[in-house]
Amino acid sequence: MSGQRIVEIEAQLTNLQLVPVVSLPSVDAGLRLAEILIRCGLPVAEITFRTPCAADAITAMRKEFDELLVLAGTVLTIDQVNIAHDVGAECIVIPGFDEGVVEYCLTRNIMVCPGAATPTEVLQCLNMGLQKVKFFPAEVAGGVGMLKAMAAVFSDIKFMPTGGISPNNLGNYLALDSVFCCGGSWLAPEALMKEGNWREIDARVSSAVASLK
């Protein structure tokens, strides 16, 4: 991946403001969700590697919907980085900071967004040349107040808060200059996808997009 492509992805995430974080129960669910996201004007998803079908789903979603920006989430190992990258994920999202995984991504020009919940972890990211960091788990780790405190120290870092983000607090996070986008797991919970309750998922995504405008 070129440096220019990484800049484009960062700009796209900043513009979209919200990334649905999803654990897919099946490949078909991924395709159904992708159709809803694109139709509603939120063409992005972070597909977590918490379910066995993650890689196959990313493959199918990228093949069917080339306008969809796909991130791979809950990536824990270098092997998972390779799998995610090979199937078309354009950004690797790690729940925490792992120097080996981050360095592996950087040396191969793979966009990576590691998790950080403390100033120490943010400093580690900064020292590796990263400026985009996942703040996780956001609400448990101090929420908006913690981000304000860290932004006062790390002015070059932009955060993607994830974990506990909801329609009730999304606006509070996005109002911060230090936040470039948020990750939201309420938009398409695995339970709703298993039930086939696509009407509710459609309504949640539509409502979120409307609130962003």
Side-chain angles (χ1 to χ4, degrees):
M1 183 184 295
S2 68
Q4 178 58 35
R5 179 56 187 151
I6 291 175
V7 171
E8 290 170 358
I9 293 169
E10 291 176 349
Q12 191 173 352
L13 291 172
T14 302
N15 182 55
L16 290 169
Q17 301 183 78
L18 179 60
V19 178
V21 179
V22 293
S23 297
L24 293 170
S26 66
V27 173
D28 286 344
L31 292 172
R32 188 73 182 267
L33 177 63
E35 186 276 323
I36 290 173
L37 293 173
I38 291 166
R39 175 165 44 78
C40 292
L42 192 65
V44 60
E46 178 185 321
I47 308 303
T48 71
F49 270 64
R50 297 179 186 176
T51 57
C53 69
D56 289 339
I58 292 173
T59 299
M61 292 164 79
R62 285 301 310 273
K63 182 179 180 182
E64 189 75 22
F65 304 98
D66 59 3
E67 67 268 53
L68 186 72
L69 175 59
V70 180
L71 290 64
T74 322
V75 174
L76 307 177
T77 66
I78 288 173
D79 284 344
Q80 287 181 328
V81 171
N82 287 328
I83 292 168
H85 188 246
D86 287 347
V87 296
E90 292 203 270
C91 178
I92 303 298
V93 184
I94 313 172
F97 178 83
D98 183 286
E99 185 176 352
V101 175
V102 171
E103 188 171 9
Y104 183 84
C105 291
L106 293 177
T107 56
R108 283 156 182 78
N109 288 323
I110 299 171
M111 183 175 172
V112 60
C113 189
T118 67
T120 299
E121 292 164 337
V122 175
L123 186 59
Q124 288 175 304
C125 293
L126 191 62
N127 285 338
M128 294 193 76
L130 295 170
Q131 293 183 313
K132 300 289 190 294
V133 174
K134 174 176 179 168
F135 178 55
F136 177 82
E139 280 291 279
V140 176
V144 168
M146 183 64 159
L147 279 177
K148 286 180 178 178
M150 290 209 284
V153 181
F154 303 109
S155 58
D156 291 337
I157 293 283
K158 298 292 184 182
F159 296 93
M160 177 168 65
T162 308
I165 309 298
S166 72
N168 296 327
N169 60 21
L170 176 63
N172 296 333
Y173 281 97
L174 290 175
L176 300 178
D177 290 339
S178 60
V179 169
F180 73 101
C181 69
C182 287
S185 57
W186 86 89
L187 294 155
E190 188 177 359
L192 286 182
M193 288 187 280
K194 282 182 176 178
E195 293 168 10
N197 194 347
W198 297 104
R199 179 173 293 183
E200 173 63 19
I201 291 170
D202 194 309
R204 292 186 182 197
V205 175
S206 297
S207 176
V209 171
S211 75
L212 294 172
K213 292 176 181 175

